Amino acid sequence: MSGPALWGTIVAMGVVTWALRASFVMLGDAGLPPLLRRALTYVPQAVLAALVAPALFAPSGAAFGPVDVRLLAGALALVVAWRTKHVLPTLAAGMGVLWVLTWLAQRGA
Amino acid sequence: MAFSRDAYLQGLRDVAPMMLGVAPFGTIAGASAASVGLSPLEALGMSVVVFAGASQLAALALIAQGAGVAVIVATTFMVNLRMAMYSASLAPWLRSLGRSTRAALAYLMTDQAYAFSVLRYRRLPDAPRRDYYLGVATPLWVLWQATTVLGAVLGAQVPPAWQLEFAIPLTFLAMLAPAVRDRPGLLAAIVGGGVALALDGLPHNLGLVLGAVLGIAAGTAADAARPPEPAA
């Protein structure tokens, strides 16, 4: 994606995001139905997991022995994310393992 | 309405520690944009127009997969849906402000601007609201744009062998961990991730959309089935 298609996508994303932010602030706060309010609570968990799982657990092509390099790096990052709940240590662990294993796998090949 | 310097500076002081966490995130957004082929100007354009990190990273991951506009916009909607919740919560406090002011404050809405502002409004209902909000929100906006450009310029120098695009799911993982606080939340994550993985490779990223919808449904159902908490 590039040029006009990319800029069109960016503008569409911006409009949708602003509409969500402005919704009740601009139109008033009659209040959400309780079921919808409850469902909104679980949006971040479901969406983030749906974004993460295929990126970490689907085969990437680079393998270390029988195991996918990204799967190993992702599994360790999962543990670090769970323990620290912070971005930087999670990134350091995941990228560090990915780089080391990729280098080892290439040397072995 | 007169500008309240005190309220603005209080917002600035409150948000200052958060800047440390936002700076690397903006750099990641810029570097990720570069890793999927966006120019620094395009990366900055996305940060200015959208100004919502998680949805920007999600869009970049989808662009890398060759997804279409509809999927990217639908994902943006779901990733940013929590903003509607913030909007509902802030609405009664901002009602007295003019339309264009509210429109501008809405554009600057972030997790931090919402959380700091709503807590302060509850504590000090009579203190100036607009300028405290701006004190929290505008430094984050400036930092987000500056670090996006930094990341986009630096990221473009990095060879593909470094696989920087892997930083996107890792960042989501670090955001997911604190979001899972209870059993229904864990169930939402497991169903969402499981379905998305099982259906990976379907056209139009249907796996992502179905995973998100079924995960939300599972979490909501588990929440509804939970016995009511005893009144304390």
Side-chain angles (χ1 to χ4, degrees):
Chain A
M1 186 178 285
S2 63
L6 176 65
W7 282 103
T9 304
I10 289 173
V11 170
M13 289 174 65
V15 169
V16 164
T17 304
W18 183 81
L20 287 168
R21 286 168 163 153
S23 55
F24 295 96
V25 165
M26 297 304 285
L27 300 174
D29 52 316
L32 295 170
L35 182 68
L36 191 61
R37 194 175 280 273
R38 186 177 279 174
L40 285 176
T41 318
Y42 299 104
V43 171
Q45 298 92 323
V47 175
L48 287 174
L51 283 164
V52 164
L56 294 190
F57 301 123
S60 71
F64 183 72
V67 191
D68 196 276
V69 163
R70 292 196 172 197
L71 178 62
L72 283 173
L76 188 86
L78 178 66
V79 174
V80 174
W82 201 262
R83 284 293 184 82
T84 67
K85 306 197 189 304
H86 283 291
V87 173
L88 285 183
T90 306
L91 271 180
M95 294 309 291
V97 172
L98 180 71
W99 288 335
V100 169
L101 291 183
T102 305
W103 181 71
L104 286 176
Q106 279 167 355
R107 252 174 48 118
Chain B
M1 194 194 306
F3 177 75
S4 167
R5 195 159 171 268
D6 286 349
Y8 185 89
L9 289 178
Q10 187 58 50
L12 186 62
R13 273 193 293 274
D14 287 347
V15 79
M18 288 277 172
M19 311 279 264
L20 278 177
V22 172
F25 196 29
T27 313
I28 292 166
S32 303
S35 78
V36 307
L38 270 66
S39 71
L41 180 66
E42 289 164 342
L44 178 64
M46 183 180 276
S47 277
V48 169
V49 173
V50 183
F51 188 49
S55 64
Q56 290 178 228
L57 287 179
L60 293 168
L62 290 170
I63 288 171
Q65 293 169 28
V69 181
V71 172
I72 295 173
V73 172
T75 304
T76 302
F77 178 83
M78 283 194 287
V79 172
N80 290 334
L81 203 47
R82 69 187 188 289
M83 296 290 175
M85 215 163 45
Y86 300 165
S87 190
S89 172
L90 280 174
W93 298 105
L94 304 180
R95 197 181 291 148
S96 57
L97 302 171
R99 280 190 71 79
S100 50
T101 304
R102 280 182 284 150
L105 295 186
Y107 164 69
L108 291 170
M109 191 185 292
T110 55
D111 297 309
Q112 295 88 349
Y114 163 71
F116 281 118
S117 296
V118 81
L119 291 177
R120 164 143 164 139
Y121 297 162
R122 284 178 191 165
R123 203 174 64 243
L124 303 169
D126 299 321
R129 295 180 196 151
R130 181 196 62 190
D131 300 327
Y132 178 81
Y133 186 104
L134 288 174
V136 175
T138 50
L140 289 175
W141 187 89
V142 171
L143 182 68
W144 186 250
Q145 310 312 336
T147 51
T148 298
V149 172
L150 182 74
V153 172
L154 294 180
Q157 317 291 324
V158 175
W162 285 32
Q163 310 179 68
L164 274 193
E165 72 286 352
F166 195 59
I168 298 178
L170 291 177
T171 306
F172 285 142
L173 199 57
M175 295 165 73
L176 177 61
V180 174
R181 277 176 306 238
D182 52 11
R183 282 174 174 277
L186 183 63
L187 188 69
I190 290 171
V191 172
V195 170
L197 181 61
L199 301 181
D200 190 34
L202 282 190
H204 308 303
N205 296 80
L206 272 177
L208 168 65
V209 177
L210 285 174
V213 169
L214 292 176
I216 293 164
T220 310
D223 186 339
R226 193 159 52 175
E229 287 173 24

